[in-house]
Amino acid sequence: MSDQHAEPAFPGTPDDLWQSVSRLHAWLEADQPYGGQEGLLLRMLKLQEEVGEVAQAVIGATGQNPRKGTTHTWDDVQSELCDVVITALVALRTLTPDAHAVFATHLARVTERSLGSRRG
């Protein structure tokens, strides 16, 4: 007998992803010190902060800072890239409650534009 409320067989499915994005958005909104336009702008700036952390991890993984040496691993870079994706999806959800549909539509356009013209 299967449990209808069990965890998804494959975590990270689209429904699971968007449920997590909605939960994170609600959590951030509940404890936001700045609201309105200022809060929105700060949420967008958070994305730049996360991208900077990717750069820092890449520099650390390659040992490009001679003063610090190798300070990160490629696993750290992967984690930081995931943080960028999560932050971007939460930022999109901040702009629209239809983030899932907006993203799916945009992804389909980019995919068609990029891959649709290729002939095997």
Side-chain angles (χ1 to χ4, degrees):
M1 187 181 280
S2 67
D3 182 0
Q4 292 179 351
H5 299 289
E7 288 295 316
F10 182 71
T13 60
D15 288 341
D16 183 46
L17 170 80
W18 290 104
Q19 288 172 5
S20 294
V21 168
S22 290
R23 291 176 60 214
L24 289 167
H25 173 261
W27 172 70
L28 287 169
E29 289 296 308
D31 194 30
Q32 182 172 295
Y34 298 96
Q37 190 72 11
E38 189 175 20
L40 177 66
L41 294 173
L42 289 168
R43 182 78 43 88
M44 300 306 131
L45 286 175
K46 179 65 176 167
L47 185 55
Q48 182 61 42
E49 177 188 22
E50 294 297 341
V51 170
E53 291 176 10
V54 170
Q56 181 180 20
V58 169
I59 289 167
T62 58
Q64 291 302 301
N65 184 337
R67 186 174 51 84
K68 294 182 179 180
T70 302
T71 58
H72 291 75
T73 66
W74 288 105
D75 285 344
D76 295 327
V77 175
Q78 291 176 22
S79 292
E80 296 299 344
L81 285 169
C82 289
D83 287 348
V84 168
V85 172
I86 293 164
T87 302
L89 293 176
V90 172
L92 181 60
R93 172 57 188 87
T94 300
L95 291 175
T96 177
D98 296 326
H100 182 273
V102 169
F103 183 76
T105 299
H106 189 75
L107 179 59
R109 272 195 307 257
V110 169
T111 301
E112 178 59 29
R113 182 179 67 224
S114 299
L115 303 178
S117 62
R118 291 184 179 203
R119 302 289 183 235

